Amino acid sequence: MAKSNYITREGYLALDRELKYLWKEERPIVTQAVSEAAAMGDRSENAEYIYGKRRLREIDRRVRFLTKRLEALTVVEPNPAQEGKVFFGAWVKLEDEQGQLKIYRIVGPDEFDPKKNWISIDSPVARSLIGHKVDDEITVNTPNGKAYYYILAIYYHDKLIT
């Protein structure tokens, strides 16, 4: 399944900051270190040179990826017309069948973070939530069978919709 090209404003800015940091700060430092290591002589046994060249390749690979990805992404801003329903960028408070509460934010695949409870728009839970409103029950197909959730609240920009 192809990744969605949607991203929140803050996600886009984070990727842009990473690109600028790699290109303008880290790459020049690593390039200087490689030049200094190369001046020491035999490059075949020079760990600083070998590591520096490897790090430069990693930086260049990431810079290429970020440059292409940022061009392909579409920043999605919450729209007042979507208030009351779950769409991209929403915080959703759910209750499962056991009565456990879960809170997720629906974000793009480039910014999902389980530690923050940010789930990708491409995930089964997010796809099941899209378009639903408070008090709706959703069914999510999981590898262990079906899971059922009840939508308790929806947030956009810290605005609670119950």
Side-chain angles (χ1 to χ4, degrees), residues 79-113:
N79 185 332
Q82 67 193 31
E83 294 290 329
K85 288 192 174 183
V86 179
F87 289 104
F88 187 85
W91 283 97
V92 184
K93 185 175 183 180
L94 304 171
E95 182 178 1
D96 67 13
E97 295 171 280
Q98 290 77 36
Q100 294 181 339
L101 299 179
K102 299 178 186 293
I103 298 176
Y104 296 118
R105 182 173 188 206
I106 300 173
V107 297
D110 296 287
E111 56 188 329
F112 85 93
D113 185 348

PDB file of all heavy atoms in Angstrom, residues 79-113:
ATOM      1  N   ASN A  79     -10.074  22.176   8.957  1.00  0.00           N
ATOM      2  CA  ASN A  79     -11.073  23.040   8.349  1.00  0.00           C
ATOM      3  C   ASN A  79     -12.280  23.118   9.289  1.00  0.00           C
ATOM      4  O   ASN A  79     -12.747  22.089   9.774  1.00  0.00           O
ATOM      5  CB  ASN A  79     -11.483  22.425   7.005  1.00  0.00           C
ATOM      6  CG  ASN A  79     -12.426  23.277   6.229  1.00  0.00           C
ATOM      7  OD1 ASN A  79     -13.193  24.051   6.790  1.00  0.00           O
ATOM      8  ND2 ASN A  79     -12.393  23.115   4.929  1.00  0.00           N
ATOM      9  N   PRO A  80     -12.810  24.313   9.536  1.00  0.00           N
ATOM     10  CA  PRO A  80     -13.982  24.414  10.422  1.00  0.00           C
ATOM     11  C   PRO A  80     -15.159  23.547   9.973  1.00  0.00           C
ATOM     12  O   PRO A  80     -15.963  23.126  10.792  1.00  0.00           O
ATOM     13  CB  PRO A  80     -14.343  25.901  10.365  1.00  0.00           C
ATOM     14  CG  PRO A  80     -13.082  26.590   9.968  1.00  0.00           C
ATOM     15  CD  PRO A  80     -12.337  25.621   9.088  1.00  0.00           C
ATOM     16  N   ALA A  81     -15.247  23.266   8.689  1.00  0.00           N
ATOM     17  CA  ALA A  81     -16.358  22.453   8.173  1.00  0.00           C
ATOM     18  C   ALA A  81     -16.288  21.008   8.660  1.00  0.00           C
ATOM     19  O   ALA A  81     -17.285  20.298   8.648  1.00  0.00           O
ATOM     20  CB  ALA A  81     -16.358  22.485   6.646  1.00  0.00           C
ATOM     21  N   GLN A  82     -15.109  20.565   9.091  1.00  0.00           N
ATOM     22  CA  GLN A  82     -14.975  19.179   9.537  1.00  0.00           C
ATOM     23  C   GLN A  82     -15.228  19.016  11.039  1.00  0.00           C
ATOM     24  O   GLN A  82     -15.176  17.903  11.552  1.00  0.00           O
ATOM     25  CB  GLN A  82     -13.599  18.624   9.166  1.00  0.00           C
ATOM     26  CG  GLN A  82     -12.448  19.262   9.901  1.00  0.00           C
ATOM     27  CD  GLN A  82     -11.114  18.915   9.290  1.00  0.00           C
ATOM     28  OE1 GLN A  82     -11.004  18.706   8.082  1.00  0.00           O
ATOM     29  NE2 GLN A  82     -10.090  18.840  10.109  1.00  0.00           N
ATOM     30  N   GLU A  83     -15.520  20.104  11.733  1.00  0.00           N
ATOM     31  CA  GLU A  83     -15.788  20.036  13.171  1.00  0.00           C
ATOM     32  C   GLU A  83     -16.881  19.016  13.453  1.00  0.00           C
ATOM     33  O   GLU A  83     -17.894  18.975  12.764  1.00  0.00           O
ATOM     34  CB  GLU A  83     -16.206  21.411  13.708  1.00  0.00           C
ATOM     35  CG  GLU A  83     -15.127  22.466  13.665  1.00  0.00           C
ATOM     36  CD  GLU A  83     -13.993  22.244  14.647  1.00  0.00           C
ATOM     37  OE1 GLU A  83     -14.241  21.668  15.723  1.00  0.00           O
ATOM     38  OE2 GLU A  83     -12.865  22.628  14.330  1.00  0.00           O
ATOM     39  N   GLY A  84     -16.652  18.218  14.481  1.00  0.00           N
ATOM     40  CA  GLY A  84     -17.652  17.230  14.872  1.00  0.00           C
ATOM     41  C   GLY A  84     -17.424  15.867  14.269  1.00  0.00           C
ATOM     42  O   GLY A  84     -18.074  14.907  14.659  1.00  0.00           O
ATOM     43  N   LYS A  85     -16.503  15.757  13.304  1.00  0.00           N
ATOM     44  CA  LYS A  85     -16.189  14.476  12.692  1.00  0.00           C
ATOM     45  C   LYS A  85     -14.681  14.262  12.730  1.00  0.00           C
ATOM     46  O   LYS A  85     -13.910  15.194  12.849  1.00  0.00           O
ATOM     47  CB  LYS A  85     -16.669  14.427  11.244  1.00  0.00           C
ATOM     48  CG  LYS A  85     -18.164  14.321  11.104  1.00  0.00           C
ATOM     49  CD  LYS A  85     -18.552  13.997   9.687  1.00  0.00           C
ATOM     50  CE  LYS A  85     -20.045  13.749   9.593  1.00  0.00           C
ATOM     51  NZ  LYS A  85     -20.436  13.364   8.251  1.00  0.00           N
ATOM     52  N   VAL A  86     -14.290  13.006  12.608  1.00  0.00           N
ATOM     53  CA  VAL A  86     -12.874  12.655  12.632  1.00  0.00           C
ATOM     54  C   VAL A  86     -12.298  12.783  11.228  1.00  0.00           C
ATOM     55  O   VAL A  86     -12.797  12.167  10.287  1.00  0.00           O
ATOM     56  CB  VAL A  86     -12.666  11.212  13.137  1.00  0.00           C
ATOM     57  CG1 VAL A  86     -11.192  10.853  13.125  1.00  0.00           C
ATOM     58  CG2 VAL A  86     -13.263  11.032  14.521  1.00  0.00           C
ATOM     59  N   PHE A  87     -11.271  13.623  11.124  1.00  0.00           N
ATOM     60  CA  PHE A  87     -10.528  13.771   9.879  1.00  0.00           C
ATOM     61  C   PHE A  87      -9.046  13.878  10.207  1.00  0.00           C
ATOM     62  O   PHE A  87      -8.657  13.816  11.381  1.00  0.00           O
ATOM     63  CB  PHE A  87     -10.999  15.004   9.093  1.00  0.00           C
ATOM     64  CG  PHE A  87     -12.364  14.838   8.486  1.00  0.00           C
ATOM     65  CD1 PHE A  87     -13.466  15.451   9.057  1.00  0.00           C
ATOM     66  CD2 PHE A  87     -12.553  14.054   7.362  1.00  0.00           C
ATOM     67  CE1 PHE A  87     -14.730  15.297   8.520  1.00  0.00           C
ATOM     68  CE2 PHE A  87     -13.821  13.883   6.810  1.00  0.00           C
ATOM     69  CZ  PHE A  87     -14.909  14.507   7.387  1.00  0.00           C
ATOM     70  N   PHE A  88      -8.249  14.081   9.200  1.00  0.00           N
ATOM     71  CA  PHE A  88      -6.802  14.182   9.362  1.00  0.00           C
ATOM     72  C   PHE A  88      -6.465  15.279  10.377  1.00  0.00           C
ATOM     73  O   PHE A  88      -7.033  16.352  10.356  1.00  0.00           O
ATOM     74  CB  PHE A  88      -6.161  14.518   8.006  1.00  0.00           C
ATOM     75  CG  PHE A  88      -4.669  14.483   8.029  1.00  0.00           C
ATOM     76  CD1 PHE A  88      -3.987  13.303   7.841  1.00  0.00           C
ATOM     77  CD2 PHE A  88      -3.949  15.640   8.266  1.00  0.00           C
ATOM     78  CE1 PHE A  88      -2.609  13.276   7.865  1.00  0.00           C
ATOM     79  CE2 PHE A  88      -2.573  15.621   8.296  1.00  0.00           C
ATOM     80  CZ  PHE A  88      -1.904  14.433   8.101  1.00  0.00           C
ATOM     81  N   GLY A  89      -5.541  14.986  11.278  1.00  0.00           N
ATOM     82  CA  GLY A  89      -5.094  15.952  12.271  1.00  0.00           C
ATOM     83  C   GLY A  89      -5.883  15.925  13.566  1.00  0.00           C
ATOM     84  O   GLY A  89      -5.537  16.621  14.519  1.00  0.00           O
ATOM     85  N   ALA A  90      -6.928  15.133  13.635  1.00  0.00           N
ATOM     86  CA  ALA A  90      -7.780  15.095  14.830  1.00  0.00           C
ATOM     87  C   ALA A  90      -7.146  14.283  15.950  1.00  0.00           C
ATOM     88  O   ALA A  90      -6.446  13.301  15.710  1.00  0.00           O
ATOM     89  CB  ALA A  90      -9.134  14.485  14.483  1.00  0.00           C
ATOM     90  N   TRP A  91      -7.416  14.716  17.167  1.00  0.00           N
ATOM     91  CA  TRP A  91      -7.179  13.909  18.361  1.00  0.00           C
ATOM     92  C   TRP A  91      -8.498  13.202  18.643  1.00  0.00           C
ATOM     93  O   TRP A  91      -9.553  13.840  18.637  1.00  0.00           O
ATOM     94  CB  TRP A  91      -6.827  14.785  19.562  1.00  0.00           C
ATOM     95  CG  TRP A  91      -5.426  15.304  19.538  1.00  0.00           C
ATOM     96  CD1 TRP A  91      -5.017  16.520  19.093  1.00  0.00           C
ATOM     97  CD2 TRP A  91      -4.259  14.632  19.986  1.00  0.00           C
ATOM     98  NE1 TRP A  91      -3.658  16.645  19.239  1.00  0.00           N
ATOM     99  CE2 TRP A  91      -3.169  15.495  19.794  1.00  0.00           C
ATOM    100  CE3 TRP A  91      -4.027  13.374  20.537  1.00  0.00           C
ATOM    101  CZ2 TRP A  91      -1.869  15.152  20.133  1.00  0.00           C
ATOM    102  CZ3 TRP A  91      -2.734  13.029  20.875  1.00  0.00           C
ATOM    103  CH2 TRP A  91      -1.669  13.913  20.675  1.00  0.00           C
ATOM    104  N   VAL A  92      -8.450  11.901  18.877  1.00  0.00           N
ATOM    105  CA  VAL A  92      -9.668  11.136  19.093  1.00  0.00           C
ATOM    106  C   VAL A  92      -9.527  10.338  20.388  1.00  0.00           C
ATOM    107  O   VAL A  92      -8.540   9.621  20.581  1.00  0.00           O
ATOM    108  CB  VAL A  92      -9.950  10.170  17.920  1.00  0.00           C
ATOM    109  CG1 VAL A  92     -11.266   9.448  18.122  1.00  0.00           C
ATOM    110  CG2 VAL A  92      -9.930  10.911  16.595  1.00  0.00           C
ATOM    111  N   LYS A  93     -10.511  10.493  21.257  1.00  0.00           N
ATOM    112  CA  LYS A  93     -10.539   9.740  22.510  1.00  0.00           C
ATOM    113  C   LYS A  93     -11.489   8.575  22.326  1.00  0.00           C
ATOM    114  O   LYS A  93     -12.660   8.768  21.987  1.00  0.00           O
ATOM    115  CB  LYS A  93     -11.007  10.646  23.649  1.00  0.00           C
ATOM    116  CG  LYS A  93     -10.963   9.990  25.006  1.00  0.00           C
ATOM    117  CD  LYS A  93     -11.332  11.027  26.083  1.00  0.00           C
ATOM    118  CE  LYS A  93     -11.227  10.446  27.463  1.00  0.00           C
ATOM    119  NZ  LYS A  93     -11.597  11.458  28.483  1.00  0.00           N
ATOM    120  N   LEU A  94     -10.974   7.360  22.545  1.00  0.00           N
ATOM    121  CA  LEU A  94     -11.740   6.140  22.305  1.00  0.00           C
ATOM    122  C   LEU A  94     -11.843   5.305  23.570  1.00  0.00           C
ATOM    123  O   LEU A  94     -10.985   5.390  24.446  1.00  0.00           O
ATOM    124  CB  LEU A  94     -11.045   5.283  21.236  1.00  0.00           C
ATOM    125  CG  LEU A  94     -10.758   5.907  19.888  1.00  0.00           C
ATOM    126  CD1 LEU A  94      -9.877   4.991  19.062  1.00  0.00           C
ATOM    127  CD2 LEU A  94     -12.052   6.189  19.174  1.00  0.00           C
ATOM    128  N   GLU A  95     -12.873   4.485  23.596  1.00  0.00           N
ATOM    129  CA  GLU A  95     -12.999   3.486  24.654  1.00  0.00           C
ATOM    130  C   GLU A  95     -13.135   2.134  23.982  1.00  0.00           C
ATOM    131  O   GLU A  95     -13.946   1.968  23.063  1.00  0.00           O
ATOM    132  CB  GLU A  95     -14.227   3.779  25.514  1.00  0.00           C
ATOM    133  CG  GLU A  95     -14.400   2.820  26.670  1.00  0.00           C
ATOM    134  CD  GLU A  95     -15.603   3.164  27.545  1.00  0.00           C
ATOM    135  OE1 GLU A  95     -16.322   4.134  27.247  1.00  0.00           O
ATOM    136  OE2 GLU A  95     -15.812   2.435  28.521  1.00  0.00           O
ATOM    137  N   ASP A  96     -12.334   1.152  24.426  1.00  0.00           N
ATOM    138  CA  ASP A  96     -12.426  -0.181  23.828  1.00  0.00           C
ATOM    139  C   ASP A  96     -13.446  -1.032  24.580  1.00  0.00           C
ATOM    140  O   ASP A  96     -14.088  -0.564  25.526  1.00  0.00           O
ATOM    141  CB  ASP A  96     -11.048  -0.852  23.738  1.00  0.00           C
ATOM    142  CG  ASP A  96     -10.452  -1.189  25.090  1.00  0.00           C
ATOM    143  OD1 ASP A  96     -11.160  -1.149  26.106  1.00  0.00           O
ATOM    144  OD2 ASP A  96      -9.246  -1.504  25.119  1.00  0.00           O
ATOM    145  N   GLU A  97     -13.574  -2.272  24.179  1.00  0.00           N
ATOM    146  CA  GLU A  97     -14.581  -3.168  24.759  1.00  0.00           C
ATOM    147  C   GLU A  97     -14.357  -3.448  26.244  1.00  0.00           C
ATOM    148  O   GLU A  97     -15.299  -3.739  26.970  1.00  0.00           O
ATOM    149  CB  GLU A  97     -14.575  -4.501  24.002  1.00  0.00           C
ATOM    150  CG  GLU A  97     -14.999  -4.376  22.556  1.00  0.00           C
ATOM    151  CD  GLU A  97     -14.771  -5.669  21.811  1.00  0.00           C
ATOM    152  OE1 GLU A  97     -13.623  -5.921  21.411  1.00  0.00           O
ATOM    153  OE2 GLU A  97     -15.760  -6.423  21.659  1.00  0.00           O
ATOM    154  N   GLN A  98     -13.115  -3.349  26.691  1.00  0.00           N
ATOM    155  CA  GLN A  98     -12.787  -3.585  28.095  1.00  0.00           C
ATOM    156  C   GLN A  98     -12.913  -2.321  28.939  1.00  0.00           C
ATOM    157  O   GLN A  98     -12.602  -2.311  30.112  1.00  0.00           O
ATOM    158  CB  GLN A  98     -11.359  -4.138  28.236  1.00  0.00           C
ATOM    159  CG  GLN A  98     -11.185  -5.552  27.723  1.00  0.00           C
ATOM    160  CD  GLN A  98     -11.115  -5.612  26.204  1.00  0.00           C
ATOM    161  OE1 GLN A  98     -10.555  -4.726  25.570  1.00  0.00           O
ATOM    162  NE2 GLN A  98     -11.693  -6.647  25.630  1.00  0.00           N
ATOM    163  N   GLY A  99     -13.316  -1.209  28.322  1.00  0.00           N
ATOM    164  CA  GLY A  99     -13.471   0.044  29.040  1.00  0.00           C
ATOM    165  C   GLY A  99     -12.186   0.857  29.166  1.00  0.00           C
ATOM    166  O   GLY A  99     -12.156   1.865  29.856  1.00  0.00           O
ATOM    167  N   GLN A 100     -11.125   0.419  28.489  1.00  0.00           N
ATOM    168  CA  GLN A 100      -9.859   1.153  28.527  1.00  0.00           C
ATOM    169  C   GLN A 100      -9.920   2.332  27.568  1.00  0.00           C
ATOM    170  O   GLN A 100     -10.414   2.206  26.444  1.00  0.00           O
ATOM    171  CB  GLN A 100      -8.687   0.248  28.167  1.00  0.00           C
ATOM    172  CG  GLN A 100      -8.442  -0.840  29.183  1.00  0.00           C
ATOM    173  CD  GLN A 100      -7.258  -1.703  28.803  1.00  0.00           C
ATOM    174  OE1 GLN A 100      -6.856  -1.766  27.650  1.00  0.00           O
ATOM    175  NE2 GLN A 100      -6.691  -2.378  29.788  1.00  0.00           N
ATOM    176  N   LEU A 101      -9.407   3.473  28.018  1.00  0.00           N
ATOM    177  CA  LEU A 101      -9.390   4.671  27.194  1.00  0.00           C
ATOM    178  C   LEU A 101      -8.116   4.750  26.389  1.00  0.00           C
ATOM    179  O   LEU A 101      -7.034   4.413  26.874  1.00  0.00           O
ATOM    180  CB  LEU A 101      -9.525   5.915  28.073  1.00  0.00           C
ATOM    181  CG  LEU A 101     -10.811   6.014  28.897  1.00  0.00           C
ATOM    182  CD1 LEU A 101     -10.796   7.277  29.738  1.00  0.00           C
ATOM    183  CD2 LEU A 101     -12.030   5.993  27.996  1.00  0.00           C
ATOM    184  N   LYS A 102      -8.237   5.216  25.166  1.00  0.00           N
ATOM    185  CA  LYS A 102      -7.103   5.436  24.276  1.00  0.00           C
ATOM    186  C   LYS A 102      -7.304   6.787  23.607  1.00  0.00           C
ATOM    187  O   LYS A 102      -8.416   7.129  23.242  1.00  0.00           O
ATOM    188  CB  LYS A 102      -7.007   4.339  23.217  1.00  0.00           C
ATOM    189  CG  LYS A 102      -6.805   2.950  23.794  1.00  0.00           C
ATOM    190  CD  LYS A 102      -6.777   1.912  22.698  1.00  0.00           C
ATOM    191  CE  LYS A 102      -6.722   0.504  23.223  1.00  0.00           C
ATOM    192  NZ  LYS A 102      -5.525   0.130  23.890  1.00  0.00           N
ATOM    193  N   ILE A 103      -6.217   7.528  23.456  1.00  0.00           N
ATOM    194  CA  ILE A 103      -6.276   8.807  22.751  1.00  0.00           C
ATOM    195  C   ILE A 103      -5.246   8.758  21.640  1.00  0.00           C
ATOM    196  O   ILE A 103      -4.072   8.456  21.879  1.00  0.00           O
ATOM    197  CB  ILE A 103      -5.990   9.990  23.702  1.00  0.00           C
ATOM    198  CG1 ILE A 103      -7.055  10.049  24.797  1.00  0.00           C
ATOM    199  CG2 ILE A 103      -5.956  11.300  22.911  1.00  0.00           C
ATOM    200  CD1 ILE A 103      -6.817  11.110  25.844  1.00  0.00           C
ATOM    201  N   TYR A 104      -5.677   9.018  20.414  1.00  0.00           N
ATOM    202  CA  TYR A 104      -4.807   9.003  19.248  1.00  0.00           C
ATOM    203  C   TYR A 104      -4.932  10.311  18.485  1.00  0.00           C
ATOM    204  O   TYR A 104      -5.994  10.926  18.477  1.00  0.00           O
ATOM    205  CB  TYR A 104      -5.188   7.869  18.282  1.00  0.00           C
ATOM    206  CG  TYR A 104      -5.017   6.483  18.835  1.00  0.00           C
ATOM    207  CD1 TYR A 104      -6.104   5.638  18.969  1.00  0.00           C
ATOM    208  CD2 TYR A 104      -3.769   6.009  19.197  1.00  0.00           C
ATOM    209  CE1 TYR A 104      -5.964   4.353  19.457  1.00  0.00           C
ATOM    210  CE2 TYR A 104      -3.610   4.721  19.691  1.00  0.00           C
ATOM    211  CZ  TYR A 104      -4.711   3.903  19.813  1.00  0.00           C
ATOM    212  OH  TYR A 104      -4.563   2.629  20.305  1.00  0.00           O
ATOM    213  N   ARG A 105      -3.845  10.678  17.817  1.00  0.00           N
ATOM    214  CA  ARG A 105      -3.897  11.780  16.861  1.00  0.00           C
ATOM    215  C   ARG A 105      -3.629  11.185  15.490  1.00  0.00           C
ATOM    216  O   ARG A 105      -2.685  10.417  15.310  1.00  0.00           O
ATOM    217  CB  ARG A 105      -2.849  12.848  17.161  1.00  0.00           C
ATOM    218  CG  ARG A 105      -2.980  13.994  16.167  1.00  0.00           C
ATOM    219  CD  ARG A 105      -2.093  15.148  16.494  1.00  0.00           C
ATOM    220  NE  ARG A 105      -2.430  16.263  15.605  1.00  0.00           N
ATOM    221  CZ  ARG A 105      -1.563  17.192  15.281  1.00  0.00           C
ATOM    222  NH1 ARG A 105      -0.348  17.192  15.775  1.00  0.00           N
ATOM    223  NH2 ARG A 105      -1.931  18.165  14.464  1.00  0.00           N
ATOM    224  N   ILE A 106      -4.434  11.555  14.516  1.00  0.00           N
ATOM    225  CA  ILE A 106      -4.279  11.034  13.158  1.00  0.00           C
ATOM    226  C   ILE A 106      -3.371  11.975  12.378  1.00  0.00           C
ATOM    227  O   ILE A 106      -3.695  13.148  12.184  1.00  0.00           O
ATOM    228  CB  ILE A 106      -5.645  10.880  12.462  1.00  0.00           C
ATOM    229  CG1 ILE A 106      -6.514   9.915  13.274  1.00  0.00           C
ATOM    230  CG2 ILE A 106      -5.464  10.400  11.028  1.00  0.00           C
ATOM    231  CD1 ILE A 106      -7.930   9.801  12.785  1.00  0.00           C
ATOM    232  N   VAL A 107      -2.219  11.439  11.966  1.00  0.00           N
ATOM    233  CA  VAL A 107      -1.208  12.233  11.266  1.00  0.00           C
ATOM    234  C   VAL A 107      -0.742  11.496  10.018  1.00  0.00           C
ATOM    235  O   VAL A 107      -1.178  10.378   9.751  1.00  0.00           O
ATOM    236  CB  VAL A 107       0.004  12.531  12.196  1.00  0.00           C
ATOM    237  CG1 VAL A 107      -0.413  13.377  13.388  1.00  0.00           C
ATOM    238  CG2 VAL A 107       0.662  11.244  12.664  1.00  0.00           C
ATOM    239  N   GLY A 108       0.162  12.112   9.280  1.00  0.00           N
ATOM    240  CA  GLY A 108       0.706  11.493   8.076  1.00  0.00           C
ATOM    241  C   GLY A 108       1.706  10.400   8.402  1.00  0.00           C
ATOM    242  O   GLY A 108       2.241  10.334   9.509  1.00  0.00           O
ATOM    243  N   PRO A 109       1.995   9.537   7.443  1.00  0.00           N
ATOM    244  CA  PRO A 109       2.913   8.428   7.682  1.00  0.00           C
ATOM    245  C   PRO A 109       4.345   8.881   7.987  1.00  0.00           C
ATOM    246  O   PRO A 109       5.110   8.122   8.575  1.00  0.00           O
ATOM    247  CB  PRO A 109       2.853   7.618   6.383  1.00  0.00           C
ATOM    248  CG  PRO A 109       2.317   8.552   5.363  1.00  0.00           C
ATOM    249  CD  PRO A 109       1.451   9.528   6.093  1.00  0.00           C
ATOM    250  N   ASP A 110       4.699  10.097   7.622  1.00  0.00           N
ATOM    251  CA  ASP A 110       6.044  10.596   7.886  1.00  0.00           C
ATOM    252  C   ASP A 110       6.206  11.101   9.312  1.00  0.00           C
ATOM    253  O   ASP A 110       7.316  11.412   9.728  1.00  0.00           O
ATOM    254  CB  ASP A 110       6.393  11.735   6.917  1.00  0.00           C
ATOM    255  CG  ASP A 110       6.435  11.245   5.492  1.00  0.00           C
ATOM    256  OD1 ASP A 110       7.396  10.538   5.153  1.00  0.00           O
ATOM    257  OD2 ASP A 110       5.499  11.542   4.731  1.00  0.00           O
ATOM    258  N   GLU A 111       5.130  11.219  10.051  1.00  0.00           N
ATOM    259  CA  GLU A 111       5.225  11.806  11.381  1.00  0.00           C
ATOM    260  C   GLU A 111       4.614  10.951  12.486  1.00  0.00           C
ATOM    261  O   GLU A 111       4.601  11.370  13.643  1.00  0.00           O
ATOM    262  CB  GLU A 111       4.581  13.200  11.382  1.00  0.00           C
ATOM    263  CG  GLU A 111       3.153  13.214  10.904  1.00  0.00           C
ATOM    264  CD  GLU A 111       2.582  14.610  10.731  1.00  0.00           C
ATOM    265  OE1 GLU A 111       2.979  15.529  11.448  1.00  0.00           O
ATOM    266  OE2 GLU A 111       1.718  14.769   9.852  1.00  0.00           O
ATOM    267  N   PHE A 112       4.140   9.736  12.155  1.00  0.00           N
ATOM    268  CA  PHE A 112       3.523   8.926  13.204  1.00  0.00           C
ATOM    269  C   PHE A 112       4.568   8.610  14.281  1.00  0.00           C
ATOM    270  O   PHE A 112       5.755   8.482  14.013  1.00  0.00           O
ATOM    271  CB  PHE A 112       2.875   7.663  12.631  1.00  0.00           C
ATOM    272  CG  PHE A 112       3.812   6.499  12.452  1.00  0.00           C
ATOM    273  CD1 PHE A 112       3.934   5.560  13.456  1.00  0.00           C
ATOM    274  CD2 PHE A 112       4.539   6.361  11.296  1.00  0.00           C
ATOM    275  CE1 PHE A 112       4.794   4.490  13.292  1.00  0.00           C
ATOM    276  CE2 PHE A 112       5.403   5.300  11.131  1.00  0.00           C
ATOM    277  CZ  PHE A 112       5.530   4.356  12.135  1.00  0.00           C
ATOM    278  N   ASP A 113       4.099   8.543  15.521  1.00  0.00           N
ATOM    279  CA  ASP A 113       4.988   8.319  16.652  1.00  0.00           C
ATOM    280  C   ASP A 113       4.198   7.633  17.760  1.00  0.00           C
ATOM    281  O   ASP A 113       3.401   8.279  18.440  1.00  0.00           O
ATOM    282  CB  ASP A 113       5.559   9.654  17.143  1.00  0.00           C
ATOM    283  CG  ASP A 113       6.578   9.502  18.246  1.00  0.00           C
ATOM    284  OD1 ASP A 113       6.704   8.396  18.828  1.00  0.00           O
ATOM    285  OD2 ASP A 113       7.254  10.501  18.557  1.00  0.00           O
TER     286      ASP A 113
END
